[in-house]
Amino acid sequence: MLVRDFVFQTLPTPSCHASTLAETTLAGTLPGTTQRGMVASWFGGAEEGARDVGIWLAHRMNEGAGWTKPERVAYSGEVPCWNPVLHQLKAGPLLLFYRMGPSPQTWTAYLRRSMDGGKSWSAPEMLPAGVQGPVKNKPHELPNGTLLCPSSTESHDCWGGWVDISPDGGRSWTKHGPIQVPGRFDLIQPTLVQDGSTVVALARTRGLKHVARAVSRDQGRTWGHASLVDLPHPGSGIDAVRLADGRVVLVYNHTASGRSPLNLAVSGDLGQTWTPGPVLESEPGEYSYPAIIQAADGSIHITYTWKRQKVRYVRLLPGDLPQPV
């Protein structure tokens, strides 16, 4: 691993969770220049679900300089904020999706846009009723700019995975799914990987003890039934990315209960079979809700919750990962 540190050392809030990250472009140190860097976001406050929970954000422009001081970019004061998701459009602004409301059953999704890599933000846009956009994991952007947003809904007794699709950067939406294991409404927070017209959703499950996998053959518009893959799962968040070399890398808790250890696994067949990769955390505690992306230079970047106190950041190279068996 090339880098292993924290997004912040001094806690801006007593508790934090649900990080996300994107690669974006910011103004360089010299006039008229730009440079690429990482931007990370998470929710933080007294504790998950507390009224003071807001959305926080920090930048990392180079490895030597580390992360900027966190800033709060969304806040209500009356109801908590939840689950930020960042995405840098290939031809457009940096997007920040997040939710506000008393609970996942009653929250509302919002979207803000930044034309300067997250330094300043537009006014919040409320998403239509029933549309969540990307509920935990990053959108997948098709070559034509269409966003496939891995989404889900939660009631007290029923979980459902969906894909919310926007052809115009989040201004209009259609909803596709649900994605379900047959006879079970216990699947949320999918993450998407693609090969041609085939899109695969890997998802968090409740009570099924394994990661779920579903396939779409028409770029996310219709879905077959989900099945369980041979990876243990405790009902915690996961995330995946398909690398430029075709391998899929999954970040997940390799256990049927608890949120330690936190592991990487690699697949050469879009998530049907898996080869163990590096262990990110193995000590007691909570290490959860990961986010993973591949940068333009090929490096792999990961953030995740560290004991609900900090956000851990890891940078590695494709060569640090095994080839699928």
Side-chain angles (χ1 to χ4, degrees):
M1 298 178 188
L2 299 178
V3 177
R4 182 182 174 87
D5 63 12
F6 293 107
V7 174
F8 50 84
Q9 294 290 344
T10 302
L11 303 181
T13 60
S15 176
C16 65
H17 193 42
S19 63
T20 176
L21 77 166
E23 185 181 33
T24 190
T25 300
L26 287 171
T29 54
L30 298 177
T33 64
T34 60
Q35 60 182 139
R36 301 189 69 82
M38 291 292 133
V39 56
S41 183
W42 61 94
F43 72 70
E47 62 181 357
E48 180 176 350
R51 288 176 21 169
D52 71 338
V53 173
I55 303 299
W56 294 78
L57 184 141
H59 292 90
R60 184 186 185 97
M61 294 314 300
N62 59 67
E63 300 304 334
W67 292 89
T68 60
K69 182 179 178 180
E71 298 181 7
R72 193 171 63 188
V73 296
Y75 179 69
S76 165
E78 297 297 323
V79 294
C81 294
W82 308 78
N83 292 21
V85 178
L86 290 164
H87 177 71
Q88 176 63 64
L89 290 171
K90 295 173 184 175
L94 176 68
L95 304 181
L96 172 63
F97 297 88
Y98 62 99
R99 277 131 283 277
M100 290 197 301
S103 70
Q105 290 76 35
T106 57
W107 64 25
T108 299
Y110 292 84
L111 168 61
R112 300 182 73 180
R113 304 169 192 271
S114 175
M115 299 303 297
D116 54 11
K119 292 292 187 180
S120 62
W121 294 92
S122 67
E125 306 167 27
M126 186 182 297
L127 271 60
V131 172
Q132 292 296 331
V135 77
K136 175 199 173 290
N137 295 316
K138 58 193 174 297
H140 182 77
E141 186 172 347
L142 300 178
N144 65 1
T146 296
L147 291 180
L148 310 185
C149 296
S151 186
S152 56
T153 54
E154 301 176 47
S155 69
H156 292 289
D157 298 317
C158 182
W159 283 8
W162 299 82
V163 174
D164 292 343
I165 297 182
S166 176
D168 50 13
R171 302 192 186 279
S172 64
W173 296 90
T174 56
K175 195 173 188 69
H176 301 266
I179 305 170
Q180 291 294 346
V181 175
R184 297 293 299 261
F185 296 96
D186 294 300
L187 182 157
I188 58 168
Q189 298 174 352
T191 178
L192 305 179
V193 294
Q194 181 188 16
D195 183 10
S197 62
T198 299
V199 180
V200 169
L202 301 164
R204 171 184 178 178
T205 61
R206 176 179 60 178
L208 301 181
K209 302 298 184 181
H210 289 81
V211 173
R213 177 182 183 271
V215 178
S216 168
R217 303 294 182 185
D218 55 4
Q219 296 190 323
R221 298 189 176 275
T222 60
W223 290 87
H225 289 308
S227 59
L228 302 180
V229 300
D230 190 22
L231 289 176
H233 180 59
S236 181
I238 64 174
D239 196 16
V241 67
R242 185 171 185 256
L243 303 181
D245 63 17
R247 290 179 293 172
V248 173
V249 184
L250 178 72
V251 195
Y252 72 110
N253 296 108
H254 190 86
T255 177
S257 63
R259 295 188 173 184
S260 179
L262 185 69
N263 303 68
L264 297 177
V266 181
S267 174
D269 54 12
L270 289 181
Q272 297 182 78
T273 59
W274 295 92
T275 297
V279 178
L280 298 177
E281 300 282 356
S282 59
E283 298 297 319
E286 178 179 346
Y287 312 102
S288 63
Y289 261 61
I292 182 171
I293 63 171
Q294 185 175 34
D297 67 0
S299 58
I300 300 163
H301 302 255
I302 302 168
T303 57
Y304 54 89
T305 297
W306 189 87
K307 299 183 178 181
R308 296 277 177 147
Q309 300 170 8
K310 297 181 181 181
V311 174
R312 174 80 88 178
Y313 167 69
V314 174
R315 177 173 175 257
L316 63 159
L317 295 177
D320 296 325
L321 300 171
Q323 292 297 323
V325 175

